[in-house]
């Protein structure tokens, strides 16, 4: 593992050096060609690559024409210089350029993103959701400590505000919803420019792209967590904690299930899994597999049939959850049967409605942006303040009800709802939560509520949102290391765990940034270089 990571780092160093030399060559050739124009400037001001004439730029028409002619000639000569240098790059240099820290750091910090400004707020939603995930896992990590820690944790559970933490698993549903929305919106735009047969032919390549997008970074995290992290900790709790959450023995047997994305259904419920948090990536990939076919039905067969197909899958999943709840007596909060995590929480059959609702919203947004539908509805939202306030109120009410309605179960630990109530909550709770979020954010997407919009869409959120995938993959390993290396118990308070969550977040984002530069973006650039090469235009 160390050798593999060292090799990646070496590639990045070589790529950075090559890119630096190429940039320097660009500048030297540009300076050389520009030197031939300097004598023709006749005192005119020009500044390219540090060459500057001090005289001010005249304003008369003849000089303006001369300036434009010389500037156009220089631009043509400069582009010729760049093309000459680029064409002389050897294939091995192009390979290493994909690993250059210079370009990859720019990709991380660049503000370029989706062309659709309305969806830019999703960057902030992703960042806030991953912070919610981190906070919830930091609290759940206290259960790995000594009895003193556990006793203090029980006192926290009895408090009403704790529901925001204990129900933090709804934050994962925001990622499913956003994933479905973006997949439907982006793929619909691409497929709408093709025929039905062309769209079908592009499906395998979309799967390849998705696989290469998710797998390399995940595989590196698995190897590091499985093979290296055990040597980074010590103490009475360390080896047991690492074996429980990372799954040493499970990784020995079943590491391959993660890279073929079946780890959420295999191994079975009585066996451990390799890196527990990777159940999410398996679900995400499985949901994506069905998305192109739902979109083909919607775009090329019949739009009503497409919507009905999506709703039929949602209803089938809700019925499935209802049956499971009656069969195994699943609980809505805390005191759950042993198989509930595997058969309900991890299962794609029970988690898919949230993703499909995202697909429906993505299709609706596609129709609005590209085909001009729902214009009257949008005009009403834009023109009437009370309608926007209604959307905010409905959104806050729905999300709050889902999160806080289980307070009677938390206040009197051991109290259980009957099967119909549990079935209703487990079937529709997650869907209700994301619908509430969608209602609240709809006016924001349309450009209203400046405060929320600036919170979710700003210069900081764009690069941070690019790191959320890496943060999700690494966060449980970091939390395992912190709690597993504790050698004595201590009283746990909200402030202590929030401080731990802040430190964990900073650590995870830092690690994710390193992995982004070292693995994630180089793999994406390699895919573009060799699997999706741009067509060369004629000179």
């Amino acid at each position: 593992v160390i050798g593999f990571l060292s090799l990646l780092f070496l590639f990045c160093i070589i790529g950075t050096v090559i890119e630096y030399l190429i940039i320097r060559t660009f500048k030297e050739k540009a300076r050389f060609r520009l030197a031939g124009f300097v004598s023709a400037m006749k005192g005119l001001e020009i500044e390219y690559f540090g060459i500057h004439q001090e005289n001010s730029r005249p304003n008369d028409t003849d000089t303006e024409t001369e300036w434009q002619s010389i500037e156009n000639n220089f631009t043509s000569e400069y582009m010729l210089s760049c093309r000459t240098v680029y064409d002389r790059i050897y294939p091995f240099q192009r390979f290493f350029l994909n690993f250059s820290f210079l370009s990859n750091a720019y990709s991380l910090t660049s503000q370029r993103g989706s062309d659709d400004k309305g969806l830019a707020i999703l960057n902030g939603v992703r960042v806030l959701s991953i912070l919610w995930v981190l906070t919830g896992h930091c609290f759940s990590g206290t259960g790995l400590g000594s009895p003193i820690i556990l006793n203090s944790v029980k006192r926290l559970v009895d408090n009403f505000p704790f529901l925001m933490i204990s129900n933090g698993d709804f934050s994962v549903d925001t990622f499913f919803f956003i994933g479905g929305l973006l997949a439907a919106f982006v793929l619909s735009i691409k497929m709408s420019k093709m025929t039905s047969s062309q769209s079908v032919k592009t499906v395998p390549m979309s799967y390849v792209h998705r696989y290469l997008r998710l797998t390399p970074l995940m595989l590196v995290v698995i190897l590091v967590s499985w093979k290296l992290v055990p040597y980074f900790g010590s103490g009475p709790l360390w080896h047991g904690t690492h074996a429980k959450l990372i799954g040493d023995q499970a990784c020995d047997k079943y590491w391959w299930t993660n890279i073929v994305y079946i780890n959420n259904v295999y191994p079975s419920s009585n066996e451990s899994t390799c890196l527990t948090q990777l159940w999410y990536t398996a679900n995400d990939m499985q949901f994506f597999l069905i998305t192109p076919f739902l979109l083909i039905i919607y775009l090329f067969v019949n739009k009503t049939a497409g919507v009905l197909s999506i709703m039929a899958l949602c209803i089938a999943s809700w019925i499935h959850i209802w049956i499971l709840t009656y069969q195994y007596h699943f609980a809505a909060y805390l005191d759950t049967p042993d198989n509930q995590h595997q058969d309900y929480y991890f299962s794609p059959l029970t988690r898919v409605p949230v993703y499909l609702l995202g697909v429906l919203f993505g299709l609706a947004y596609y129709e609005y942006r590209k085909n001009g539908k729902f214009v009257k509805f949008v005009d009403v939202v834009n023109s009437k303040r009370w309608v926007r306030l209604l959307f905010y109120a409905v959104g806050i009410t729905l999300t709050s009800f889902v999160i806080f309605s289980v307070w009677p179960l938390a206040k009197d630990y051991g109290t259980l709802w009957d099967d119909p109530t549990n079935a209703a909550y487990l079937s529709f709770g997650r869907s209700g939560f994301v619908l509430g979020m969608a209602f609240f954010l709809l006016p924001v997407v349309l450009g209203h509520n400046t405060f929320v919009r600036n919170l979710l869409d700003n210069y900081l959120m764009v690069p941070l949102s690019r790191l959320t995938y890496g943060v999700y993959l690494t966060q449980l390993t970091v939390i395992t290391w912190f709690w597993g290396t504790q050698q004595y118990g201590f009283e746990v308070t909200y402030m202590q765990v929030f401080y731990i969550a802040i430190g964990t977040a900073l650590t995870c984002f830092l690690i994710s940034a390193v992995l982004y530069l070292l693995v994630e973006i180089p793999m994406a650039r390699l895919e573009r270089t060799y699997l999706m090469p741009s067509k060369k235009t004629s000179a």
Side-chain angles (χ1 to χ4, degrees):
V1 177
I2 295 177
F4 175 71
L5 294 177
S6 300
L7 184 62
L8 287 178
F9 184 74
L10 178 61
F11 285 176
C12 292
I13 296 297
I14 295 173
T16 303
V17 172
I18 291 174
E19 184 171 13
Y20 172 78
L21 294 176
I22 289 174
I23 291 174
R24 189 174 69 175
T25 304
F26 279 167
K27 292 182 177 181
E28 289 176 351
K29 283 187 172 290
R31 286 192 181 98
F32 174 77
R33 292 186 179 274
L34 181 59
F37 297 117
V38 172
S39 60
M41 297 308 296
K42 296 181 180 179
L44 300 179
E45 180 184 20
I46 182 172
E47 183 176 2
Y48 286 109
F49 295 106
I51 297 178
H52 184 73
Q53 300 294 328
E54 297 297 336
N55 297 334
S56 60
R57 180 174 172 178
N59 296 319
D60 58 276
T61 305
D62 293 339
T63 308
E64 286 289 338
T65 304
E66 185 178 5
W67 165 273
Q68 190 63 48
S69 175
I70 294 173
E71 188 173 29
N72 289 340
N73 288 336
F74 166 71
T75 302
S76 300
E77 290 288 331
Y78 172 66
M79 294 304 296
L80 179 60
S81 301
C82 294
R83 177 172 295 183
T84 301
V85 174
Y86 182 79
D87 289 342
R88 293 177 60 185
I89 295 176
Y90 295 103
F92 83 92
Q93 291 176 313
R94 294 187 183 182
F95 171 81
F96 285 114
L97 281 174
N98 294 296
F99 294 87
S100 171
F101 282 129
L102 297 176
S103 295
N104 294 342
Y106 175 78
S107 298
L108 173 60
T109 57
S110 171
Q111 294 298 311
R112 292 185 303 173
S114 172
D115 294 333
D116 192 286
K117 298 300 181 183
L119 297 181
I121 65 168
L122 297 182
N123 292 323
V125 175
R126 279 195 289 257
V127 173
L128 295 181
S129 296
I130 199 63
L131 292 176
W132 195 6
V133 171
L134 282 169
T135 305
H137 283 167
C138 284
F139 266 95
S140 63
T142 58
L144 304 172
S146 68
I148 297 177
I149 295 178
L150 289 176
N151 290 335
S152 60
V153 169
K154 289 178 181 178
R155 290 195 292 271
L156 297 181
V157 174
D158 294 337
N159 293 321
F160 185 77
F162 183 77
L163 291 171
M164 282 294 297
I165 307 301
S166 58
N167 278 325
D169 57 298
F170 286 106
S171 58
V172 180
D173 293 294
T174 65
F175 285 106
F176 284 136
F177 180 82
I178 292 173
L181 189 154
L182 292 177
F185 180 66
V186 174
L187 289 178
S188 294
I189 293 176
K190 293 181 179 179
M191 289 182 173
S192 63
K193 301 175 183 178
M194 308 175 185
T195 63
S196 58
S197 59
Q198 289 174 333
S199 296
V200 172
K201 291 178 182 178
T202 62
V203 170
M205 199 61 201
S206 68
Y207 291 160
V208 172
H209 170 71
R210 189 69 173 177
Y211 186 85
L212 295 178
R213 165 70 179 87
L214 298 179
T215 309
L217 181 59
M218 181 181 66
L219 184 58
V220 170
V221 172
I222 291 174
L223 291 174
V224 171
S225 301
W226 172 24
K227 295 296 185 180
L228 290 185
V229 171
Y231 299 101
F232 294 162
S234 62
L237 301 174
W238 172 239
H239 292 290
T241 300
H242 184 271
K244 179 180 180 181
L245 289 183
I246 305 301
D248 293 340
Q249 295 181 353
C251 287
D252 290 338
K253 294 181 181 179
Y254 304 114
W255 65 270
W256 57 271
T257 61
N258 292 291
I259 62 174
V260 295
Y261 297 96
I262 61 171
N263 52 292
N264 58 334
V265 294
Y266 180 82
S268 58
S269 58
N270 62 343
E271 296 174 291
S272 180
T273 56
C274 180
L275 270 69
T276 307
Q277 71 269 31
L278 298 185
W279 69 271
Y280 167 81
T281 58
N283 277 276
D284 184 73
M285 176 62 78
Q286 291 159 7
F287 298 159
F288 184 80
L289 293 178
I290 65 173
T291 304
F293 296 102
L294 294 174
L295 298 182
I296 289 173
I297 295 174
Y298 179 85
L299 294 172
F300 302 109
V301 179
N302 183 277
K303 292 186 177 182
T304 301
V307 172
L308 291 177
S309 298
I310 296 172
M311 289 306 304
L313 292 176
C314 288
I315 294 172
S317 177
W318 290 328
I319 293 173
H320 175 67
I321 297 171
W322 200 282
I323 294 173
L324 285 178
T325 303
Y326 270 87
Q327 182 178 358
Y328 297 110
H329 305 291
F330 287 165
Y333 187 75
L334 289 182
D335 192 13
T336 59
D338 293 337
N339 66 324
Q340 184 164 334
H341 255 72
Q342 187 72 24
D343 294 338
Y344 170 74
Y345 191 79
F346 294 164
S347 173
L349 300 179
T350 59
R351 302 307 293 257
V352 73
V354 171
Y355 182 90
L356 293 174
L357 290 175
V359 171
L360 287 176
F361 274 83
L363 290 173
Y365 194 69
Y366 160 77
E367 294 290 352
Y368 165 65
R369 296 293 295 177
K370 300 301 177 182
N371 297 327
K373 295 187 177 181
F374 308 111
V375 173
K376 292 183 179 180
F377 168 77
V378 172
D379 288 341
V380 171
V381 176
N382 287 333
S383 61
K384 299 185 182 298
R385 187 169 181 266
W386 70 267
V387 174
R388 298 194 296 273
L389 293 177
L390 180 62
F391 272 97
Y392 297 142
V394 171
I396 293 174
T397 301
L398 271 175
T399 54
S400 299
F401 176 78
V402 171
I403 292 173
F404 297 111
S405 60
V406 295
W407 169 238
L409 306 181
K411 182 175 63 174
D412 299 317
Y413 185 74
T415 302
L416 297 175
W417 283 337
D418 56 20
D419 284 341
T421 308
N422 282 322
Y425 184 84
L426 294 176
S427 297
F428 306 115
R430 299 186 183 281
S431 300
F433 176 82
V434 297
L435 286 176
M437 181 185 69
F439 272 99
F440 182 85
L441 291 178
L442 178 61
V444 184
V445 170
L446 296 177
H448 302 280
N449 200 327
T450 304
F451 173 77
V452 175
R453 186 163 194 85
N454 290 338
L455 175 66
L456 298 177
D457 179 19
N458 55 64
Y459 289 107
L460 184 61
M461 290 300 181
V462 175
L464 290 181
S465 67
R466 295 186 178 116
L467 301 178
T468 52
Y469 178 55
V471 170
Y472 181 82
L473 294 180
T474 58
Q475 43 93 24
L476 205 56
T477 300
V478 174
I479 293 170
T480 299
W481 176 84
F482 176 81
W483 289 112
T485 55
Q486 298 302 309
Q487 300 191 22
Y488 56 89
F490 58 90
E491 293 288 327
V492 177
T493 64
Y494 281 115
M495 291 305 299
Q496 284 175 324
V497 178
F498 277 125
Y499 283 140
I500 294 170
I502 292 172
T504 301
L506 292 175
T507 302
C508 289
F509 273 104
L510 179 61
I511 295 173
S512 181
V514 173
L515 292 175
Y516 184 90
L517 298 175
L518 202 63
V519 181
E520 190 171 1
I521 192 62
M523 296 301 109
R525 294 182 66 190
L526 283 172
E527 179 196 0
R528 288 195 296 267
T529 300
Y530 296 107
L531 295 184
M532 297 185 297
S534 59
K535 295 181 180 179
K536 292 184 178 181
T537 58
S538 58

